[in-house]
Amino acid sequence: MSIRIDKGKCVRCGQCALVCPGGLIVQDEEKKAYIKYPKDCWGCAACLKECKVGAIKYFLGADIGGKGVYLYTLDEQDFLHWFIVNNDIQHRMTSNKRESNKY
Amino acid sequence: MVLKPCKMALKPEILKTDILIVGGGTAGCFSAITIAENSKAKVLIAEKAHIKRSGCLAAGVNALNAYINPGESPESYVEYVKKDAEGIIREDLVYSLAKKLNQVTQKLEEMGLPILKDAKGDYVSRGKRNIKINGENIKPLLAQAVQAKKNVQILNGVNIIDYIVQGQRVSGAYGFSLKKNLFYVIYAKAVICTTGGAAGLYKPNNPGFSRHKMWYSPFNTGAGYAMGIRAGAEMTSLEMRFIALRCKDTIAPTGTIAQGVRARQINSLGQEYVKQYGVKAGAEASTPQRLYATVLENREGRGPCYLQTRGITEEQEQGLYKAYLNMAPAQTLKWVEQSRGPGSDNVEIEGTEPYVVGGHAASGYWLNGQCMTTLQGLFAAGDVAGGSPKKYVTGCLAEGEIAALAALQYIGIDDGVVMLEQSLIQAKVDAVNLYFRNEPGLYGLEEVEEAMQKVMDEYAGGISVGYTVSRAKLQIAAQRIEELLEISKTLRAADLHDLLTIHEIIDRLYVCKVLIAHLEARKETRWLCYQQNADFPNKDNVHWRKYVNSRYENGEVKILLREIVKRDEVYEHSY
């Protein structure tokens, strides 16, 4: 379980590094964020939700069944869009932040 | 001794406040809000990460599981917790927080938490004590409420390492910054410890790359327990560990599936198996019973075990996808990645490694009726506070409120904090700076952590031994943990993150040491899996319907047995 940050997409805002509950994300000399301690990620997805440009890929480690598929999010006011990318296929799920879980 | 010059060294910085809150998670944030709403006292929250997403609620939470639904009462809540915890609870503490559960829930709703309601505007229940929410954003909402309070100062990126103890009272804490080379000495008239419990004591389910894909926050490393232990505070019930029953690999919650779509636990032969393991007819199986049954089914060769979800409707499957995104997105990712959702495949389940966590089990500080520890001026709330299991999120909020009000009352009668001698402060800074001076030794941080987790797994009742302990094995564990405590003094920090890791390892070693003593002390089996003693496999109500408490004195763990505190008792410490 971990994340990887797309350096090309990162806009140097530093928000992911700020919220990571483990302090695992740091910014390099160009202020681009990267995960310095990938094995220490809890998988909480706090960083994803901060990223306005969808630069953070959240994936399952191969040791827990990961096969290369990843997830990222985009925030749109009351909605949070979750994108799961499997090769060229992209699944989108949207949760309404104001709506409660049914289960 | 001549100290070698070194690049890194911390410099002391002195701060003063009225009430110091150690840890800005669920309980800590609510304590701060309570103080701000009831007084003009200055509050300082020291948080090692950032309060927006720190603590157990980082990813969100699936439901509120401690709420008094219509037909239930605070009294029935106490009875339920008492039964589930086999009688070893502080009935007084559970009762006082139970009376506040609904009121703190309403406050969460006012902060903006979505709670599912029916047409009449009443909360929809998910069982006797549960209500349905969208808990994805719960921590940012709490953090926002704290940030709006003017007299609350938040120090993000500060790790507290020990209390300032003067005689029998706590008057602040020491810590260091994770951003600048600063060593903090924070004086306070009262301290509220809300650091959370301890994960990472035992070898985890996924010991490799995904080692932190665990149930409890891997960043909760028992700092609050360890600081209390080192300061000589009395601790209770550490032997009542908590082990969760979770979805395999992702270690995501099972309750959402079990309660949400009424899925049953089945073995690989398709048989329902839980009832065969001592569940009384008509009764609901307790968490340890469901876990124990799963461990035994696997041992008998009838594993893997599953939650039977095959055949749920498309709508239910979509509902589960969304529910998991809001609290454990790895599970939804797994379903989509495998192209097999819960409607097509049953969900495999497994028990986690044991944790020490007072929000689910009863382990933590021994408190008076107002959440004050045996050290004057030190209060505790949330997962670090003992005696009140199954308090979950809302119980932590309620306890945070109780501790805050008690701390306020305490500082009202306080006659001031005495400043420390400069030499004392310097000695404490030097001790921490030593880790920057240590030469690289044979063992690095990861090796010591792995060694601790392996010892605890094999000799103190981890996953590999089916959670069972015995005196002979515990004694080996005690010896090894002692050796690792020695080794930990030689660890070298190259930067502030390393310094944090070293403290997290040392704190966990202290918790292990006391946990082992507690496990050895309880000469019966009170709880399946949580505390299962091979030497004494039965429950013994005649001798052991008692709390196992401890105090750390001169390097030794002293065990004390105490009688059960009843619901309407007013419990005070005797000094």
Side-chain angles (χ1 to χ4, degrees):
Chain A
M1 183 80 255
S2 199
I3 57 142
R4 192 153 299 166
I5 304 175
D6 186 333
K7 206 172 171 178
K9 283 190 181 168
C10 174
V11 291
R12 304 181 172 93
C13 72
Q15 225 24 55
C16 55
L18 184 87
V19 299
C20 174
L24 312 176
I25 303 172
V26 294
Q27 288 173 278
D28 65 15
E29 58 283 4
E30 298 168 41
K31 296 263 178 214
K32 297 269 189 178
Y34 70 100
I35 179 154
K36 192 172 173 189
Y37 309 93
K39 283 167 79 176
D40 290 342
C41 175
W42 188 22
C44 73
C47 55
L48 270 77
K49 297 165 194 167
E50 295 296 326
C51 188
K52 301 287 176 262
V53 293
I56 306 181
K57 295 174 178 175
Y58 175 99
F59 65 97
L60 300 177
D63 60 338
I64 56 170
K67 297 187 286 187
V69 176
Y70 64 89
L71 179 154
Y72 71 94
T73 63
L74 283 177
D75 201 285
E76 191 198 347
Q77 287 164 356
D78 283 347
F79 299 95
L80 187 60
H81 304 293
W82 303 78
F83 299 91
I84 297 179
V85 185
N86 187 352
N87 292 316
D88 295 333
I89 309 160
Q90 182 159 289
H91 297 262
R92 188 172 100 162
M93 282 180 236
T94 297
S95 37
N96 182 338
K97 293 183 202 169
R98 295 187 180 278
E99 211 171 72
S100 169
N101 292 342
K102 302 290 180 290
Y103 298 101
Chain B
M1 186 173 71
V2 181
L3 293 177
K4 286 185 201 138
C6 101
K7 269 197 288 188
M8 292 275 303
L10 307 183
K11 291 200 179 76
E13 172 133 329
I14 315 288
L15 299 174
K16 278 183 211 167
T17 186
D18 291 325
I19 299 177
L20 169 66
I21 296 175
V22 185
T26 317
C29 282
F30 210 75
S31 285
I33 294 166
T34 305
I35 296 164
E37 285 176 353
N38 288 279
S39 76
K40 291 199 168 75
K42 279 194 293 178
V43 180
L44 198 155
I45 300 178
E47 162 58 52
K48 73 173 169 179
H50 187 287
I51 68 160
K52 185 168 183 186
R53 288 280 182 182
S54 61
C56 298
L57 297 177
V61 62
N62 56 337
L64 294 181
N65 293 318
Y67 182 81
I68 314 285
N69 275 316
E72 296 295 310
S73 64
E75 291 77 17
S76 69
Y77 180 81
V78 175
E79 286 310 306
Y80 154 73
V81 177
K82 188 166 139 185
K83 192 163 163 248
D84 203 84
E86 304 288 350
I88 312 298
I89 63 163
R90 279 285 298 275
E91 297 175 26
D92 59 329
L93 294 175
V94 176
Y95 192 39
S96 54
L97 75 81
K99 287 186 269 192
K100 285 178 181 281
L101 290 173
N102 290 17
Q103 162 211 327
V104 298
T105 302
Q106 197 186 334
K107 212 154 169 187
L108 276 177
E109 193 180 19
E110 284 160 18
M111 287 178 193
L113 185 77
I115 304 182
L116 193 64
K117 288 181 173 170
D118 60 19
K120 286 189 287 178
D122 297 326
Y123 297 153
V124 174
S125 64
R126 197 191 87 167
K128 288 179 179 173
R129 293 162 294 271
N130 322 64
I131 52 173
K132 300 176 185 185
I133 62 169
N134 181 343
E136 186 281 312
N137 214 26
I138 186 168
K139 189 66 207 298
L141 289 171
L142 268 168
Q144 224 170 47
V146 175
Q147 281 157 338
K149 305 292 178 201
K150 282 197 187 106
N151 46 348
V152 179
Q153 186 194 348
I154 303 158
L155 271 189
N156 288 312
V158 171
N159 184 51
I160 297 297
I161 56 168
D162 268 314
Y163 299 120
I164 299 173
V165 186
Q166 296 171 314
Q168 274 295 301
R169 75 166 277 181
V170 167
S171 46
Y174 304 102
F176 61 85
S177 166
L178 293 160
K179 298 169 187 162
K180 299 174 231 164
N181 295 350
L182 288 179
F183 182 88
Y184 286 105
V185 179
I186 308 172
Y187 293 108
K189 294 174 187 167
V191 177
I192 304 176
C193 179
T194 49
T195 55
L201 307 172
Y202 286 82
K203 189 173 174 180
N205 290 96
N206 309 307
F209 180 77
S210 302
R211 62 190 183 186
H212 273 183
K213 193 71 213 111
M214 53 177 61
W215 167 73
Y216 198 53
S217 167
F219 314 119
N220 284 10
T221 47
Y225 296 133
M227 291 192 289
I229 289 165
R230 288 190 292 261
E234 189 169 330
M235 293 287 160
T236 189
S237 309
L238 259 66
E239 77 282 5
M240 185 186 181
R241 306 173 301 171
F242 179 72
I243 301 158
L245 186 66
R246 303 292 271 190
C247 300
K248 177 95 172 46
D249 295 335
T250 57
I251 319 296
T254 49
T256 303
I257 301 173
Q259 289 177 300
V261 300
R262 298 274 153 214
R264 298 180 186 284
Q265 281 175 234
I266 55 164
N267 62 21
S268 64
L269 306 172
Q271 302 156 332
E272 276 188 48
Y273 58 87
V274 178
K275 295 276 178 203
Q276 294 161 28
Y277 293 91
V279 182
K280 287 186 190 131
E284 209 181 312
S286 68
T287 310
Q289 277 172 329
R290 286 185 282 114
L291 172 70
Y292 176 73
T294 307
V295 171
L296 287 204
E297 282 297 296
N298 274 293
R299 194 181 295 165
E300 298 298 323
R302 291 189 290 272
C305 294
Y306 301 93
L307 282 172
Q308 190 173 30
T309 53
R310 196 176 287 153
I312 59 170
T313 66
E314 173 69 22
E315 192 194 343
Q316 284 176 315
E317 186 171 82
Q318 291 299 323
L320 286 178
Y321 284 165
K322 281 195 187 172
Y324 276 89
L325 285 176
N326 288 336
M327 57 169 172
Q331 185 59 37
T332 305
L333 175 58
K334 183 168 184 176
W335 278 323
V336 175
E337 180 156 16
Q338 305 289 338
S339 305
R340 306 278 297 174
S344 342
D345 281 347
N346 294 326
V347 178
E348 191 179 339
I349 51 177
E350 65 179 334
T352 65
E353 74 275 20
Y355 307 92
V356 176
V357 50
H360 287 247
S363 41
Y365 281 94
W366 180 247
L367 306 171
N368 73 2
Q370 300 298 312
C371 290
M372 186 157 90
T373 69
T374 53
L375 300 175
Q376 286 171 34
L378 178 64
F379 300 79
D383 283 347
V384 82
S388 46
K390 297 186 98 74
K391 60 190 160 208
Y392 309 131
V393 177
T394 42
C396 287
L397 300 178
E399 212 167 47
E401 185 175 304
I402 295 167
L405 295 173
L408 269 179
Q409 203 173 11
Y410 176 83
I411 65 168
I413 52 164
D414 179 76
D415 53 359
V417 170
V418 184
M419 301 291 131
L420 295 166
E421 299 269 344
Q422 191 53 40
S423 59
L424 268 175
I425 295 174
Q426 199 52 50
K428 199 77 193 168
V429 185
D430 289 346
V432 172
N433 280 333
L434 268 184
Y435 295 108
F436 294 122
R437 292 206 169 87
N438 281 339
E439 293 292 335
L442 288 178
Y443 310 107
L445 313 182
E446 294 216 350
E447 285 92 68
V448 178
E449 182 183 50
E450 273 176 25
M452 167 182 66
Q453 293 178 343
K454 182 169 183 284
V455 169
M456 294 301 287
D457 178 59
E458 293 171 353
Y459 294 110
I463 297 171
S464 74
V465 296
Y467 307 117
T468 307
V469 300
S470 68
R471 185 157 188 257
K473 284 192 176 181
L474 288 170
Q475 285 178 341
I476 298 172
Q479 174 64 29
R480 288 293 292 138
I481 293 298
E482 217 51 57
E483 290 162 12
L484 291 170
L485 269 165
E486 279 305 307
I487 292 176
S488 70
K489 293 176 189 162
T490 69
L491 290 172
R492 177 187 157 79
D495 55 27
L496 293 166
H497 189 87
D498 281 356
L499 190 65
L500 172 68
T501 308
I502 290 172
H503 282 87
E504 289 176 338
I505 292 170
I506 294 173
D507 285 345
R508 280 178 285 168
L509 287 168
Y510 273 95
V511 177
C512 288
K513 182 171 170 156
V514 181
L515 168 60
I516 291 165
H518 275 248
L519 285 167
E520 203 184 324
R522 189 174 279 284
K523 293 183 173 34
E524 62 156 355
T525 291
R526 175 64 44 171
W527 304 280
L528 295 169
C529 302
Y530 295 2
Q531 181 267 327
Q532 201 170 320
N533 191 329
D535 302 327
F536 305 94
N538 300 313
K539 189 159 77 176
D540 175 359
N541 273 333
V542 178
H543 302 99
W544 290 98
R545 205 177 165 86
K546 286 184 175 136
Y547 307 107
V548 172
N549 286 8
S550 66
R551 254 201 318 263
Y552 186 66
E553 286 173 10
N554 306 318
E556 298 288 319
V557 183
K558 293 212 165 142
I559 296 290
L560 301 86
L561 302 180
R562 289 193 185 271
E563 301 299 324
I564 299 294
V565 180
K566 298 285 181 198
R567 195 186 78 188
D568 299 312
E569 253 178 77
V570 177
Y571 184 82
E572 279 304 336
H573 297 307
S574 47
Y575 294 100

